[in-house]
């Protein structure tokens, strides 16, 4: 055989594309060349593959060997093509089962001793192979558990290249080698923080339940010590368990970020970047491969920006487009990568740089210009995309031992699950799952639209300029969630009033 073919997977953002790896052996000046738009790391595969084959007892032929990665116009990055290139190259001369080689996708990096090294992004790569109809994949031993999270595939976790060649029918001795270890094992999931630890913030806890039930974005403003961070970190615990699709999305983002993935977590993720984070760390990108940022890693979960007033305005404004579209698109020269961004945003900020503005019994030392500049980082267009704006004050009375405890996480989770079931029943057949996903036109004119009397406070706020039309629709979404929590069949005047208070602090 002079031409051999096998499969690999090229990752572009969260999506993968199956790449055909062709190797051709010709009687010309000896050379080993890879073509098909490889990056620098992939170009260095020539030496890795050559040494790995030699040290595995499978020397490459001493003729001109050309490896083509097709489609040639698709950019290929990283070292995950090494195994596919080695197998296709060996199959040009070493007797192997051509049908087995051609029907198998190979993902992994080669060490110089022939062992397979783990690579990031195995889970989305295997998902892409499965969607393309491939039924067998070869991955490094350290990535085998991650690859087996995809159903319907035969996963072969290989220790070394000789083992892969033997699986394809080559007559080669497999050396006894220790597999290259992966990163540290997944840490066990910690018990969710309990809502009953929150003292004296009953309205804030209720607002958190509303946010969880409808998937609404939330802003909490208040002095240090009011409980903003405690509330935000308890939000994932009251969200329903992730379904299979969402759990695979979360695990894929972790895999692309280089984190170990051995099981599907059903707990919604929480991403809390520091306020010194750059736009690239939030949105994603990179000088070599395009990696997901905090936005993508928070997809299907919560993105918590503590001390939001300390974030640069450019970083906060980068959230505006993902909040609307549910995805983030990163453009680089010659490539466009798309990542999911269906997250729940929670912002927490102090009222001023020192945190004491408007606090009873405390003096604020900030000049008016500093206060305006501090709060001005939260731009109007960003605030218009926030469903719930909550003002917190410090607790002024310490609870006694006999005082009743607040709502527990278990009770809140049950309320959220019931409200989401009602919303899913009302939205069946529409393609939307949560109230926060429903378009404004459907809310205003659909079969479950509120009566003109119930909408009267909203119409008045819109007429006064207190609300934009986008804000109008967001209040209706929150009102839908409040109605679901109350078990009401449609939005009533009381639900609109409570939603308007949660959005703007306005009363009916």
């Amino acid at each position: 055989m002079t031409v051999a073919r096998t499969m690999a997977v090229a990752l572009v953002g969260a999506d993968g594309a199956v790449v055909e790896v062709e190797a051709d052996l010709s009687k010309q000046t000896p050379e080993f060349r890879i073509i098909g738009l490889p990056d620098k790391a992939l170009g260095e595969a020539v030496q890795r593959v050559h040494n790995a084959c030699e040290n595995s007892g499978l020397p490459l032929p001493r003729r001109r060997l050309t490896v083509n990665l097709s489609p040639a116009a698709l950019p290929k990055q990283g070292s995950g093509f090494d195994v596919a290139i080695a197998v296709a190259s060996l199959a040009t001369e070493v007797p192997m089962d051509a049908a087995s080689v051609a029907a198998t996708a190979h993902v992994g990096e080669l060490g110089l001793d022939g062992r397979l090294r783990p690579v990031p992004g195995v889970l989305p790569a295997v998902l892409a192979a499965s969607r393309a109809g491939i039924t067998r994949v070869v991955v490094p031993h350290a990535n085998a558990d991650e690859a087996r999270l995809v159903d319907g595939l035969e996963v072969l976790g290989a220790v070394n290249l000789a083992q892969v060649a033997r699986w394809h029918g080559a007559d080669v001795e497999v050396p006894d080698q220790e597999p290259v270890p992966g990163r540290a094992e997944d840490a066990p999931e910690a018990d969710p923080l309990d809502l009953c630890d929150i003292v004296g913030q009953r309205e804030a806890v209720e607002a958190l339940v509303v946010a969880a039930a409808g998937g609404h974005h939330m802003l909490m403003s208040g002095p240090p010590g009011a409980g903003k961070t405690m509330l935000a970190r308890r939000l994932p615990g009251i969200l329903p368990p992730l379904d299979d699709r969402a759990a695979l999305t979360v695990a894929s983002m972790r895999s692309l970020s280089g984190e170990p993935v051995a099981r599907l977590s059903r707990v919604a993720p929480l991403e809390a970047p520091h306020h010194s984070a750059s736009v690239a760390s939030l949105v994603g990108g990179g000088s070599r491969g395009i990696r997901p940022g905090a936005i993508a890693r928070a997809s299907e979960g919560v993105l918590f920006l503590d001390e939001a007033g300390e974030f640069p305005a450019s970083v906060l404004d980068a959230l505006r487009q993902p909040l609307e579209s549910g995805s983030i698109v990163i453009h680089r020269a010659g490539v466009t990568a798309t990542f999911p961004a269906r997250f729940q945003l929670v912002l927490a900020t102090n009222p001023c740089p020192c945190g004491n503005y408007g606090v009873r019994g405390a003096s604020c030392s900030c000049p008016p210009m500093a206060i305006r500049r501090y709060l001005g980082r939260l731009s109007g267009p960003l605030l218009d995309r926030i469903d719930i704006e909550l003002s917190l004050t410090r607790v002024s009375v310490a609870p006694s031992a006999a005082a009743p405890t607040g709502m527990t996480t278990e009770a809140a989770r049950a309320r959220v699950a019931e409200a989401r079931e009602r919303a899913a029943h009302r939205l069946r057949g529409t393609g939307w799952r949560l109230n926060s996903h429903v378009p404004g036109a459907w809310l205003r004119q659909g079969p479950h639209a509120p009566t003109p009397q119930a909408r009267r406070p909203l119409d008045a706020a819109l007429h006064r300029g207190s609300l934009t039309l986008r804000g109008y629709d967001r209040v209706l979404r929150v009102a839908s969630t409040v109605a679901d929590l109350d078990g009401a069949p449609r939005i009533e005047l009381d639900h609109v009033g409570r939603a308007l208070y949660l959005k703007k602090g306005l009363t009916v």
Side-chain angles (χ1 to χ4, degrees):
M1 178 186 292
T2 58
V3 178
R5 293 178 176 86
T6 190
M7 298 292 179
V9 180
L11 290 173
V12 182
D15 301 319
V18 173
V19 173
E20 187 178 47
V21 182
E22 301 175 303
D24 176 66
L25 195 61
S26 58
K27 297 180 180 179
Q28 299 179 33
T29 305
E31 187 182 11
F32 188 0
R33 176 174 295 181
I34 299 175
I35 59 176
L37 210 60
D39 70 343
K40 183 174 177 57
L42 187 48
E44 293 173 348
V46 170
Q47 198 60 49
R48 287 194 301 272
V49 170
H50 187 277
N51 286 56
C53 291
E54 186 73 28
N55 293 325
S56 300
L58 295 163
L60 291 174
R62 296 183 178 275
R63 284 185 283 174
R64 180 182 289 269
L65 187 59
T66 304
V67 175
N68 178 44
L69 308 177
S70 178
L74 179 69
K76 292 92 180 174
Q77 300 173 336
S79 56
F81 292 83
D82 287 4
V83 180
I85 292 172
V87 170
S89 300
L90 290 171
T92 59
E93 191 170 71
V94 176
M96 292 188 190
D97 184 347
S100 173
V101 171
T104 305
H106 301 82
V107 179
E109 177 184 336
L110 284 174
L112 298 183
D113 58 355
R115 292 188 296 171
L116 272 64
R117 296 182 173 275
V119 292
V122 165
L123 180 57
V126 173
L127 276 171
S130 176
R131 291 167 183 155
I134 296 173
T135 59
R136 183 165 66 171
V137 295
V138 173
V139 300
H141 183 274
N143 293 129
D145 289 340
E146 178 180 340
R148 292 190 180 104
L149 296 176
V150 182
D151 296 329
L153 278 176
E154 180 186 2
V155 176
L156 304 177
V159 175
N160 51 47
L161 180 60
Q163 191 176 26
V164 179
R166 172 69 70 87
W167 283 336
H168 291 308
D171 184 14
V172 60
E173 182 179 352
V174 178
D176 185 14
Q177 293 177 308
E178 288 291 325
V180 177
R183 293 200 174 189
E185 294 292 331
D186 274 346
E189 291 178 359
D191 293 334
L193 303 173
D194 206 303
L195 268 181
C196 66
D197 297 334
I198 306 294
V199 175
Q201 297 287 8
R202 185 172 300 177
E203 287 187 359
V205 170
E206 185 62 28
L208 197 72
V209 172
V210 173
H216 303 293
H217 308 307
M218 187 174 184
L219 167 66
M220 293 181 287
S221 176
K228 303 185 297 295
T229 303
M230 289 184 67
L231 283 162
R233 291 195 175 277
R234 281 154 178 77
L235 178 57
I238 66 176
L239 295 175
L242 300 178
D243 57 19
D244 290 342
R245 180 200 60 80
L248 275 174
T249 298
V250 173
S252 295
M253 293 304 101
R254 290 184 57 199
S255 178
L256 286 169
S257 300
E259 299 179 27
V261 178
R263 52 184 168 77
L264 290 181
S265 174
R266 302 294 175 173
V267 179
L270 172 67
E271 284 290 323
H274 190 260
H275 58 75
S276 61
S278 64
V279 174
S281 68
L282 202 66
V283 171
S287 57
R288 295 182 181 177
I290 300 178
R291 293 292 186 91
I295 288 176
R297 294 195 300 272
S299 194
E300 307 296 340
V302 178
L303 177 65
F304 174 43
L305 302 186
D306 201 1
E307 305 293 346
E310 300 289 345
F311 279 81
S314 59
V315 174
L316 294 175
D317 284 338
L319 297 169
R320 287 156 52 178
Q321 183 266 337
L323 287 175
E324 287 294 317
S325 65
S327 63
I328 181 70
V329 182
I330 302 173
H331 296 271
R332 295 291 184 268
V335 62
T336 300
T338 302
F339 292 105
R342 186 67 72 178
F343 59 90
Q344 198 168 342
L345 177 64
V346 178
L347 301 172
T349 184
N350 294 329
C352 68
C354 77
N356 291 326
Y357 180 69
V359 179
R360 185 178 59 184
S363 60
C364 175
S365 58
C366 304
M369 182 60 70
I371 297 174
R372 287 196 296 270
R373 189 185 306 115
Y374 187 79
L375 297 179
R377 295 182 182 179
L378 301 175
S379 64
L382 176 61
L383 292 177
D384 209 28
R385 290 166 169 84
I386 301 298
D387 300 337
I388 298 173
E389 299 179 28
L390 193 64
S391 295
L392 300 180
T393 58
R394 289 175 180 157
V395 176
S396 57
V397 179
S400 64
T405 58
M407 186 188 303
T408 64
T409 290
E410 185 178 356
R413 191 188 303 120
R415 289 187 62 198
V416 169
E418 291 176 3
R420 288 199 175 196
E421 286 178 6
R422 293 188 185 99
H425 179 74
R426 186 178 67 257
L427 299 174
R428 64 189 184 280
T430 64
W432 308 308
R433 295 182 300 151
L434 298 175
N435 290 323
S436 58
H437 300 166
V438 180
W442 195 87
L443 285 168
R444 287 180 263 110
Q445 304 167 8
H448 301 278
T451 62
Q453 181 182 2
R455 290 171 49 178
R456 189 173 302 157
L458 281 177
D459 294 334
L462 184 66
H463 181 72
R464 292 195 307 267
S466 302
L467 281 177
T468 64
L469 187 57
R470 180 191 282 125
Y472 186 105
D473 293 339
R474 290 195 174 277
V475 173
L476 278 181
R477 294 186 183 110
V478 176
S480 296
T481 302
V482 174
D484 290 333
L485 286 167
D486 285 351
R490 65 186 305 134
I491 300 173
E492 303 293 345
L493 179 62
D494 177 60
H495 305 138
V496 171
R498 287 155 64 185
L500 198 56
Y501 179 78
L502 288 172
K503 171 63 178 175
K504 286 291 186 179
L506 302 176
T507 57
V508 178

